[in-house]
Amino acid sequence: MKNFYLLKITGNPFTPRTLAGASTPTKGIQLASPWQILAGNLAVVALFVLGWAHARYWLRATPKRYRVILFGLTMGIGTIATMSMAISFDQGVFFDLRSSLLVVTAFFGGLPAALITTAIALAYRILLGGAGIYGGTASIVVASLLGLGIRHFSRSRQIGAVHLCVLGLAAAFSTIVAKTMLPGGLAATSLTMTSLQMLPLNFLATALAGLVHVQARRLGAERDLLAAAMAQTPDYTYVKDRRGRYAAVNVAVAKACGFDDPADMIGRTDAAIQTRERALALHERERKVLTSGESLLDHVEEIPGHGWFSSSTVPLRNSAGEVIGIAGVTRDVTLDRKLQQELIQSRDTLSFALQEMSDGLAMFDKHGRLVFSNAQYRQSFPLSGNIRQPGVHMKEILRSVVESGEQLTVPERNTASWVNKITGNLRVESEEVVSLYDGRWLQIRTRPASTGATLVVVTDVTRIKHAELALHSATDELKELVRTDSLTGLLNRRAFDDTIENEIRRSSRSSAPLSLLLIDVDRFKPYNDHYGHQAGDAALRRVAEILKASLKRPADVAARYGGEEFAAVLPDTDEDGAYLVAEAFRRALAEMRIDHRTSERGYLTASIGVATYMPEAGQRSSAELIQVADEALYSAKAAGRDRVFGKRVASSPERFAKAI
């Protein structure tokens, strides 16, 4: 292969020269091999690409359009540098790595940057002139167009190794385009002699340049993200060196310390910003972190006039593990502290209320398991209170109630059904009163919540229940007093009227016999006049006692009909049975021989009228029955008193009478 050399002339080092085919180097000229020249080209490309990667971070605050212009200018100067250190194949024919910069600029910078770089490269190549001017300018344009094309088709995709390889191939292809456009036999010769040198280096330089740009962008994005996070976080974030000087602060810290720009705090210490006491406290805390190398997390303190703050300070270490500074985050927890205090106060208040309230309170979840209960709830159930603990299911509690016999209202049979019924009541609003083995009564109320849980309130209503029972008893006694004749203790006239009406309706429904006795004490007015009213009242009480004793069945009812008149209602009693009852009473009264000197017999007697509805009787009424009994009584008195006269109430009345 023919040797190639680069002329380095002291007068103009940026003009490439060649001595193609010369056997002896020209005097005063330094010669270098093509690999050395291309290595220098590669170094130039690396220098400009790395230089821009660093400059890009410092220019991050510059508007994007200006960064694009600077990128195009920088890469344009880089193309001039590579062409100035090119291999001169023949007079005016140069080979270098300019295509790598052009492709990378077009791909990463877009059309504006590509136009600037392309314009600079074209101007310099035209200035160089020579036989390869057309191929050189064409390769510049092709390289830029290929970079723009690849950018267009890769806009929506993440840049990866494939893109970098395609860029390298594009740079190599643009170099081939330049060689094919050389005049005469130079094209074939140059392709053969430089393919092993130019094409791999162009590919490699382009791929490396693209990789540097990708990494620079990624690192820049990460730095921007971290810077934005630190600057915009609402917490107070800062970084200090070992001497306590601020190396980085966010906007929140700057404003808290009275600075408009966070940059104004860089290099300052707390001694120049805080009060002396506050600065000493911070210094002591940070000194412990720097000395021990251990983090101080969630240190809560109150700053008078500002509120409560939680601070975390961590040591920063270099690659060797040495502590080189600290990073801190301080958060305003005044509201959290206030809410925490209110929560504690509310919890204490609720706990006090639950402990001091007289009612038992329990909460069951949607599955029927006990979640919470106060002491009063457990104490309300002496035999099953020990099992009423959080986590226990309602069915287990009820089974314990059944086994212990704690609740008297539990059915003796089919207790499983009762357990399921009570458990099901947890899902509906209900209220019931139960009696316990120890004589107490409990009111149990269930109140389901929208969350599926159920609140159970247990109230001891023993006093209320006793008062209720006493009230019912008093009411019954009052009713009885209202229905009772105060002198004789028998039913009074009003109660008699109610009783006879009820018995008439019952006998009508069942077609059963019904008898009525009307009793009049013989010659009672003369008895009162002779013995006095007190003796008369005593005599009436005695008559009432004899009448009650004569009624053997619980269904038979005796009443004071009025004055010295009495009545007896005998359900399910025919005329013969009624006669026997009446006769037994008459005889018992006569046998008592109550002195009555103004009467025919010399002792107290009574006349009795009996009326009976037999089963075959049709329409029945109390008025008719009383009327018939009254007629029979009149007949008994007319017949000489101290007698029983009876009359059946029927369509063809049939009288019967027996006189003693």
Side-chain angles (χ1 to χ4, degrees):
M1 180 182 290
K2 201 173 184 179
N3 293 328
F4 295 90
Y5 303 94
L6 174 67
L7 296 179
K8 293 188 179 179
I9 304 174
T10 56
N12 186 4
F14 298 103
T15 304
R17 308 272 184 176
T18 184
L19 290 178
S23 58
T24 305
T26 306
K27 185 179 180 180
I29 298 175
Q30 275 188 332
L31 302 180
S33 71
W35 284 110
Q36 291 175 324
I37 297 171
L38 292 175
N41 249 252
L42 184 60
V44 170
V45 172
L47 176 63
F48 277 86
V49 171
L50 292 173
W52 174 255
H54 286 284
R56 187 179 185 280
Y57 176 74
W58 298 109
L59 296 172
R60 64 186 184 279
T62 306
K64 182 178 179 180
R65 60 179 180 274
Y66 296 127
R67 292 203 309 271
V68 170
I69 293 173
L70 290 174
F71 179 51
L73 291 173
T74 302
M75 295 300 105
I77 295 172
T79 59
I80 293 176
T82 58
M83 286 187 286
S84 300
M85 299 180 64
I87 297 175
S88 181
F89 178 74
D90 200 355
Q91 187 66 30
V93 180
F94 311 112
F95 296 112
D96 50 57
L97 302 180
R98 78 188 83 158
S99 297
S100 62
L101 291 177
L102 290 166
V103 171
V104 169
T105 303
F107 182 78
F108 289 100
L111 183 59
L115 289 176
I116 295 172
T117 304
T118 302
I120 294 174
L122 286 174
Y124 187 73
R125 183 62 188 86
I126 293 171
L127 179 63
L128 292 177
I133 187 172
Y134 297 108
T137 56
S139 68
I140 292 173
V141 174
V142 169
S144 296
L145 291 176
L146 288 174
L148 291 173
I150 297 170
R151 173 187 175 89
H152 175 73
F153 289 108
S154 305
R155 183 179 297 274
S156 60
R157 302 176 185 175
Q158 186 176 0
I159 300 174
V162 175
H163 297 87
L164 300 181
C165 291
V166 172
L167 290 177
L169 293 175
F173 176 76
S174 63
T175 302
I176 295 174
V177 170
K179 293 179 181 181
T180 58
M181 295 184 66
L182 291 174
L186 290 176
T189 305
S190 64
L191 283 171
T192 302
M193 300 180 66
T194 60
S195 295
L196 293 176
Q197 300 168 345
M198 294 298 300
L199 298 183
L201 279 178
N202 259 305
F203 179 86
L204 179 61
T206 305
L208 291 176
L211 179 62
V212 171
H213 273 282
V214 170
Q215 292 298 320
R217 281 190 171 186
R218 184 181 63 79
L219 292 175
E222 291 177 356
R223 289 171 178 171
D224 291 342
L225 182 63
L226 292 175
M230 182 172 180
Q232 299 175 25
T233 180
D235 296 335
Y236 304 93
T237 308
Y238 59 90
V239 176
K240 292 182 179 181
D241 61 17
R242 287 191 61 88
R243 298 176 63 181
R245 296 176 300 189
Y246 285 100
V249 297
N250 67 349
V251 176
V253 173
K255 289 185 177 181
C257 294
F259 294 92
D260 296 330
D261 188 354
D264 295 337
M265 288 187 63
I266 305 303
R268 297 175 182 266
T269 63
D270 289 320
I273 299 173
Q274 306 288 349
T275 63
R276 185 174 182 276
E277 292 77 7
R278 178 65 179 163
L280 289 174
L282 292 174
H283 174 74
E284 180 61 23
R285 187 191 309 166
E286 293 166 359
R287 186 189 65 79
K288 291 181 180 179
V289 174
L290 290 170
T291 303
S292 64
E294 297 180 356
S295 301
L296 177 63
L297 303 178
D298 299 326
H299 174 75
V300 179
E301 62 179 335
E302 182 182 12
I303 300 179
H306 297 279
W308 289 86
F309 295 86
S310 175
S311 301
S312 294
T313 307
V314 297
L316 300 178
R317 303 176 185 274
N318 58 16
S319 58
E322 300 173 345
V323 178
I324 59 175
I326 60 170
V329 176
T330 301
R331 177 175 300 172
D332 189 339
V333 294
T334 303
L335 181 59
D336 294 343
R337 190 79 175 188
K338 183 178 179 181
L339 292 176
Q340 184 180 11
Q341 291 175 346
E342 292 178 355
L343 179 62
I344 294 174
Q345 184 177 1
S346 299
R347 182 194 63 191
D348 293 342
T349 302
L350 178 60
S351 177
F352 177 78
L354 291 175
Q355 295 301 324
E356 295 299 322
M357 67 186 301
S358 58
D359 292 342
L361 186 68
M363 179 71 74
F364 290 83
D365 64 15
K366 61 182 181 181
H367 303 296
R369 294 191 177 277
L370 184 62
V371 178
F372 165 82
S373 65
N374 63 356
Q376 291 85 332
Y377 174 77
R378 296 186 294 273
Q379 293 169 1
S380 298
F381 304 93
L383 302 183
S384 64
N386 60 330
I387 199 174
R388 297 175 186 264
Q389 301 296 331
V392 179
H393 199 277
M394 184 62 164
K395 290 185 177 180
E396 296 182 45
I397 296 174
L398 294 177
R399 291 192 191 102
S400 175
V401 171
V402 173
E403 293 171 0
S404 63
E406 182 177 52
Q407 187 173 318
L408 300 181
T409 51
V410 176
E412 295 182 0
R413 298 180 179 180
N414 200 9
T415 56
S417 177
W418 177 80
V419 169
N420 293 332
K421 178 183 177 182
I422 300 300
T423 303
N425 286 343
L426 287 176
R427 291 186 284 272
V428 295
E429 185 171 339
S430 62
E431 181 176 316
E432 66 172 332
V433 177
V434 300
S435 61
L436 301 186
Y437 75 100
D438 57 2
R440 290 183 301 116
W441 294 80
L442 299 180
Q443 181 189 57
I444 303 176
R445 291 168 289 172
T446 59
R447 297 293 185 268
S450 58
T451 58
T454 301
L455 181 68
V456 177
V457 181
V458 179
T459 305
D460 191 328
V461 293
T462 303
R463 292 183 179 180
I464 298 176
K465 195 68 177 179
H466 287 169
E468 181 183 345
L469 294 175
L471 180 61
H472 287 168
S473 178
T475 302
D476 293 340
E477 291 179 3
L478 181 60
K479 288 180 180 179
E480 189 64 25
L481 289 175
V482 172
R483 292 168 51 86
T484 303
D485 176 62
S486 59
L487 177 64
T488 63
L490 303 180
L491 294 183
N492 58 21
R493 176 63 182 271
R494 180 178 179 179
F496 167 78
D497 290 340
D498 292 340
T499 300
I500 193 66
E501 287 292 342
N502 292 334
E503 292 301 329
I504 285 290
R505 286 193 293 270
R506 192 184 67 80
S507 68
S508 296
R509 289 193 301 270
S510 62
S511 297
L514 174 66
S515 296
L516 172 66
L517 308 183
L518 281 184
I519 304 167
D520 183 72
V521 179
D522 296 330
R523 308 294 186 184
F524 189 70
K525 187 177 184 304
Y527 185 91
N528 263 341
D529 294 340
H530 181 77
Y531 293 100
H533 287 286
Q534 289 184 351
D537 290 344
L540 291 177
R541 283 194 293 271
R542 189 66 179 144
V543 171
E545 292 173 358
I546 297 171
L547 178 59
K548 288 178 67 176
S550 301
L551 304 178
K552 304 300 183 180
R553 301 182 308 167
D556 298 339
V557 177
R560 185 181 182 187
Y561 193 71
E564 69 276 12
E565 292 183 321
F566 296 87
V569 180
L570 308 177
D572 298 319
T573 304
D574 59 12
E575 54 192 7
D576 292 335
Y579 175 80
L580 293 176
V581 173
E583 181 59 22
F585 164 70
R586 187 200 65 76
R587 186 181 298 111
L589 178 61
E591 291 176 353
M592 290 300 297
R593 292 293 191 270
I594 300 174
D595 191 34
H596 187 357
R597 296 178 183 179
T598 58
S599 69
E600 295 87 342
R601 289 175 172 74
Y603 54 86
L604 201 64
T605 61
S607 301
I608 305 169
V610 180
T612 302
Y613 269 125
M614 295 302 290
E616 68 274 8
Q619 184 69 30
R620 306 182 184 194
S621 71
S622 60
E624 183 184 25
L625 186 64
I626 293 172
Q627 181 182 356
V628 172
D630 189 59
E631 291 175 358
L633 174 63
Y634 180 78
S635 297
K637 294 176 75 68
R641 295 182 174 85
D642 193 20
R643 284 172 172 77
V644 177
F645 256 74
K647 184 178 181 181
R648 180 188 300 179
V649 183
S651 56
S652 298
E654 183 178 324
R655 299 177 183 273
F656 66 92
K658 293 185 179 180
I660 303 300

